[in-house]
Amino acid sequence: MESAYEVVLREMDALREQDASHPLLLALDAYLPTQDDEIFDSILDSAFDETNPSSTSLLKLSPLCLTVKVFGRAMLVMQAFQASKEKYVKNAPADDPWKTRFLAYADVDLNTANTMGSKVDLDVNRWDQVKLEVMSDLMKQALNQDDAAKARLMQAPANLKEDAVPHPFWGSPNNNIGLILDDLKKEFQADDKADKADDKADDKADDKADDKADEADDTGNKAGKRKLKRKR
């Protein structure tokens, strides 16, 4: 009987023949060295489903597909997420040069970034309190920096499913990436609605100002004509 690891390898070979640039391959290549049974169970539970219109890999909205520019350097969102751990090391001094360590993640591939992140002497309690916010902020930045990706999100169906990150917290079954994307979509929709309301209010104010200016011009013209009549 095949192990979950062997099944994933076989599915990867089939996927590579169909689409060698598929984002799932990047994800799986990065996570395979762990040989973690929990991760492989998550992969088999969520990945390789190209028929799901809510798939983040199909829509190229996974943190393994999106690129974000932070401190002037571009990297995958997942790499920036791993790099963010450098800000939360144990007993860091006030002048800790964590940004320098952060930027080093832009110079490596995803597999190396994951390894670097796993070796950070992390303040786990602090990190667990902020990691969802960190991921959400990075995803939001990435979408605001990429109009095409943002448009895909706005046109995507509800209840997105993260199927590229083979981790039970971010992917199946907890699907926190999918939940973050759904929340960001709602936030962007609310912002668009507010912007349209502001534009409408501005247009109304401009029209009112124009009408008032026209009335003033009419009054001035009439006054001028009266003066001309008196002179005659």
Side-chain angles (χ1 to χ4, degrees):
M1 182 177 177
E2 286 183 303
S3 66
Y5 177 76
E6 291 169 332
V7 173
V8 168
L9 288 177
R10 177 167 50 78
E11 292 285 357
M12 283 180 67
D13 288 339
L15 184 59
R16 191 172 280 109
E17 289 182 5
Q18 297 172 15
D19 181 4
S21 64
H22 196 291
L24 270 177
L25 293 173
L26 175 65
L28 298 175
D29 282 337
Y31 285 96
L32 279 178
T34 66
Q35 298 196 20
D36 185 319
D37 287 339
E38 186 179 24
I39 287 179
F40 294 130
D41 286 340
S42 175
I43 291 171
L44 293 174
D45 185 49
S46 63
F48 309 114
D49 183 7
E50 291 296 289
T51 63
N52 183 0
S54 298
S55 156
T56 60
S57 65
L58 186 66
L59 294 166
K60 292 182 170 58
L61 292 173
S62 168
L64 298 175
C65 307
L66 294 174
T67 299
V68 63
K69 183 176 283 189
V70 186
F71 304 132
R73 297 294 304 277
M75 63 188 93
L76 289 173
V77 167
M78 184 55 78
Q79 285 176 254
F81 176 77
Q82 294 291 350
S84 297
K85 293 178 180 179
E86 299 291 350
K87 187 178 179 180
Y88 297 92
V89 298
K90 289 180 181 177
N91 305 316
D95 59 348
D96 179 38
W98 67 270
K99 289 183 182 179
T100 301
R101 300 195 302 273
F102 181 106
L103 291 171
Y105 288 70
D107 297 323
V108 299
D109 60 21
L110 177 60
N111 187 14
T112 304
N114 284 338
T115 300
M116 290 166 62
S118 69
K119 292 180 178 179
V120 172
D121 188 17
L122 197 61
D123 185 333
V124 177
N125 288 333
R126 287 179 64 209
W127 178 245
D128 285 345
Q129 291 172 10
V130 302
K131 64 183 179 183
L132 276 169
E133 182 181 357
V134 169
M135 180 63 82
S136 180
D137 287 346
L138 289 169
M139 295 287 282
K140 183 176 181 179
Q141 288 181 60
L143 291 164
N144 280 328
Q145 293 168 9
D146 186 339
D147 291 339
K150 190 173 184 179
R152 290 197 301 274
L153 174 63
M154 302 310 288
Q155 295 165 8
N159 303 317
L160 293 176
K161 182 180 179 182
E162 173 55 46
D163 62 344
V165 179
H167 191 285
F169 181 79
W170 298 115
S172 177
N174 293 327
N175 192 39
N176 276 298
I177 294 296
L179 296 175
I180 286 172
L181 286 167
D182 286 337
D183 286 343
L184 288 175
K185 182 178 180 180
K186 292 175 184 175
E187 182 179 334
F188 291 146
Q189 287 172 332
D191 289 344
D192 287 344
K193 187 175 181 179
D195 287 343
K196 287 177 182 177
D198 288 342
D199 289 343
K200 188 174 181 179
D202 289 342
D203 289 342
K204 189 174 181 179
D206 289 342
D207 290 343
K208 190 173 181 179
D210 289 342
D211 290 342
K212 193 171 181 180
D214 290 341
E215 289 175 5
D217 289 342
D218 289 342
T219 302
N221 289 335
K222 289 177 182 177
K225 288 177 180 178
R226 285 196 295 270
K227 288 180 180 178
L228 286 173
K229 286 180 180 179
R230 291 194 189 101
K231 287 180 180 179
R232 289 176 188 163

